[in-house]
Each structure stands twice: as C-alpha cells, then as structure tokens.
C-alpha cells in the first residue's frame, strides 16, 4: 500500500504529533508498505537530517498565501506519488488542505486530531475551534474525510461535538516505542542535572501551557519536600519565564530542574544520547498534572513513562484515566489539588513495595500499545476505506 502521512510540522521539532507520525512511518515500513511523510516546513534548516523513509519538506512559495502554497504543494506530491490513501495528522491545516484537494481529486482521506485542533476549553482560551473561521474549516475537513480517528475518549467526545456522523469515528490510541524506553541508557542523569546521587527524581513532560498544571505541580512539590527533602522535579519541554521566575521566587531551584525540549533519537549517530530515555531509567514517579477536562488526548509521554517502568501519578481527567487505574497501575488524584498530589507523591516514594507493584502493572499495560500493533489497526482501517 502507498501511504501518505500528511503533517504540518516534524522532527526535530518536538511534540506528540511529530513522534506519532515518525513511529507510524517506521512501523509501516516494517510491515512492508510504501510510506512517505509530506508537508512539514523547515525545508532549509532541517535539510541535513535524514530519515529511513522519504520525507518531503516544503519551502515557502513567494506571492502565494500559506493555504494556497500548501494546496499547490500537496497537489504536486499527490500527482507524483499517487498514494492509495492520505492520512492527515490534525484537522487544520493538513486535514483542511487535503479536504480541499479531495474536492477536485478523489482519494480516501483519514484525519487524526491530536488535541488543540479539536478540543475546546473556553476557560483558558484553548482550541482552534474557538476561532469561527478555523471552526468552519475544521468542520469542512471532518465532513470530507472517510474516517476520523480518536486517540482517546476525550478526543472522541470533542469530535462528536461537531456535526460529524458517529459512524465516521474510529478509536485508535497512540502507541509507544517499547524498545527505546525499556532499554538501559548510559547517560549519568545525576551529573547531567547537577544534583545529588540520592535525589528522588520526579518527571513531567510537556511544553508549557496553563492547562498542563505546571504551577499546581510546583506547589505540590513545595509541600512534598517538607517531608522528603531529596525530591527533585524535572520538567521536560518548552517552558515559560513566568514558571522559572516562580521557582526562583519560591526558593525551589534546587528541587525543580528545567531541561527544555529533548530531541528524539533519529539513528543519525550511535553516539547520540537519549536523555529522555535515561531520565525515565532513573525517575521514581511520572506526573501528568493537567487541570482541565479535555486538556489531554492520549498522552504519549505518559505511555512512554509507563513502558519504562515508572509509576504514574495523574490527575483525574480523560486521557489520563483512559490508561491509569487508581491503585492498580498508578495513582489518580483530583485536578488542581496540590495537597492531594503532594500526599500521593510522598506515599509512593515511601512505600517501595506498592510503587514496584504499580510500576510493574504499568509496564504490562504499556505492552498493549507497541507501535507495530497500533500501525496494524491503522492499516486495517485504510484497507476498509480503500475497499469501499
């Protein structure tokens, strides 16, 4: 099968969507399909980065609007590559541009929303659909697609809030690179972070946004260190000056460390360090602290932590509770509750037997989300759509 994965941004830019597309491309190749990734920018800056599958980055086209340029570029690749199916990752811009082209060139189209392009949280002004212009374009894309896949219950719920027919929605979760996160890493994380070797490491991953609950998590750490002074929270991802200022103002710089975004290994060099995997080899707890219902799809970072054998503590919102069962493979606490989060952190750190039980169950659950198995679900969907 000739498969086009259509994405507006790509590695080395770090985000869940970029990792999903990369892993699907690798899995499709392993399953014997002809796959290529189409659509991301950074044509010049990322020109030296090589992938084990064809990748078409797009340069800017003078005198054309962005949407006009995207439409022309997709048309050219569609004619030259002749894919059996186009799988757009996001409703806008990729889903919308593919839908417009589909009006003139008939082809099967699958769209996978990844969060902000489908969720609506007015309280924090989150979601493309809050913009009436984008909302109309997103609806156009969803109407044109043969199927829309939902990576979590919350994403499925948001799709249903549009005018899409229920039978067009297919639930397929995100996956996890089991080999990457279950292997042992050589990097000395304690030296990397410049912290004592007996530090009790807690990790959270995600680019800063108020919905992620970083402020609440820092408040819980402030409470937890009164009982366990060795706690160090590591925040991976793009952060904000306000968050860093809060940590410094509260005197927590020894207990909260920021790494910034950490790259995904692309097999460019065997010497390339995988700091995120090394962190997951060493942390005791992974925290997902999002504060709003609908703020998470299915968290790729959470799955990665569970596959690495890290005990998760998560807030009780869809996306988190889709995969974490309180007391079985992790701990679930109410959102925006720093006191309860702090209590859960201390209990997990101080009850080694329970922590081991939770992390072992987390590993077992993560085994069901290997990328090869997730890719097979998508292939079955493609085959069904193509055969109609």
């Amino acid at each position: 099968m000739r498969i086009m994965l259509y994405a507006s941004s790509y590695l080395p830019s770090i985000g869940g969507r970029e990792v999903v597309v990369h892993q699907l491309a690798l899995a499709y190749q392993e399953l014997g399909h002809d796959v290529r990734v189409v659509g991301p920018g950074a044509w010049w800056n990322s020109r030296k980065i090589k992938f084990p599958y064809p990748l078409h980055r797009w340069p800017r086209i003078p005198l054309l609007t962005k949407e006009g340029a995207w439409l022309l570029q997709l048309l050219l690749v569609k004619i030259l590559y002749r894919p059996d199916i186009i799988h757009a990752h996001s409703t806008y811009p990729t889903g919308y541009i593919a839908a417009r082209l589909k009006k003139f060139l008939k082809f099967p189209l699958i769209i996978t929303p990844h969060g902000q392009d489908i969720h609506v949280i007015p309280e924090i002004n989150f979601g493309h659909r809050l913009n009436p212009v984008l909302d109309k374009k997103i609806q156009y894309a969803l109407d044109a697609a043969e199927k829309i896949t939902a990576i979590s219950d919350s994403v499925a719920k948001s799709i249903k809030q549009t005018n899409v027919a229920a039978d067009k929605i297919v639930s397929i979760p995100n996956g996890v690179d089991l080999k990457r996160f279950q292997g042992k890493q050589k990097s000395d994380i304690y030296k990397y972070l410049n912290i004592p070797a007996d530090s009790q490491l807690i990790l959270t991953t995600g680019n800063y946004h108020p919905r992620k609950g970083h402020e609440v998590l820092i408040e819980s750490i402030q409470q937890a260190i009164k009982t366990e002074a060795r706690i160090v929270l590591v925040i991976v991802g793009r952060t904000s000056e306000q968050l860093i200022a809060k940590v410094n103002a509260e005197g927590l710089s020894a207990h909260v460390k920021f790494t910034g975004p950490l790259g995904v290994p692309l097999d460019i060099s065997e010497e390339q360090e995988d700091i995120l995997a090394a962190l997951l080899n060493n942390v005791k707890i992974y925290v997902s602290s999002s504060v709003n219902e609908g703020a998470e799809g299915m968290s790729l970072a959470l799955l990665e932590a569970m596959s690495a054998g890290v005990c998760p503590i998560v807030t009780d919102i869809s996306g988190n509770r889709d995969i974490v069962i309180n007391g079985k493979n992790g701990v679930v606490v109410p959102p925006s509750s720093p006191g309860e989060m702090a209590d859960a952190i201390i209990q997990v750190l101080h009850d080694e037997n329970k922590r081991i039980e939770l992390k072992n169950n987390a590993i077992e659950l993560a085994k069901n989300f290997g990328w090869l198995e997730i890719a097979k679900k998508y292939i079955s969907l493609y085959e069904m759509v193509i055969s109609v």
Side-chain angles (χ1 to χ4, degrees), residues 143-265:
D143 289 341
E146 272 69 26
K147 295 290 182 180
I148 302 105
T149 64
I151 59 176
S152 70
D153 288 346
S154 65
V155 169
K157 182 179 179 180
S158 291
I159 297 171
K160 290 174 183 176
Q161 290 171 354
T162 69
N163 295 323
V164 170
D167 61 1
K168 289 181 68 169
I169 305 170
V170 179
S171 293
I172 301 179
N174 279 338
V176 64
D177 185 348
L178 298 174
K179 182 179 179 181
R180 175 188 177 193
F181 293 104
Q182 291 180 353
K184 294 299 178 184
Q185 304 295 320
K186 298 178 181 179
S187 301
D188 185 340
I189 286 302
Y190 299 92
K191 183 178 180 180
Y192 175 82
L193 295 170
N194 192 26
I195 58 175
D198 65 344
S199 298
Q200 302 292 294
L201 290 179
I202 298 170
L203 178 70
T204 191
T205 301
N207 296 327
Y208 176 80
H209 192 283
R211 67 189 172 94
K212 290 290 186 180
H214 287 110
E215 289 88 352
V216 176
L217 178 54
I218 288 172
E219 290 175 21
S220 68
I221 294 299
Q222 191 171 23
Q223 296 183 35
I225 61 176
K226 295 175 182 177
T227 302
E228 175 53 79
R230 296 175 297 169
I231 287 175
V232 176
L233 169 66
V234 182
I235 300 178
V236 175
R238 291 188 293 275
T239 188
S240 71
E241 292 300 322
Q242 295 91 333
L243 197 64
I244 295 172
K246 177 180 175 65
V247 168
N248 293 333
E250 299 292 344
L252 295 172
S253 57
H255 296 280
V256 181
K257 301 295 182 180
F258 299 93
T259 68
L262 294 176
V264 177

Side-chain angles (χ1 to χ4, degrees), residues 17 41 61 66 69 123 141 145 170 178 221 245 248 308-309 322 324 348 356 367 373-374 386:
R17 178 181 58 193
I61 300 179
K66 281 187 177 181
E123 298 82 7
V170 179
L178 298 174
I221 294 299
N248 293 333
D322 290 341
V324 178
V348 169
I356 291 173
K367 289 178 181 177
E373 295 306 310
I374 301 301
I386 290 171

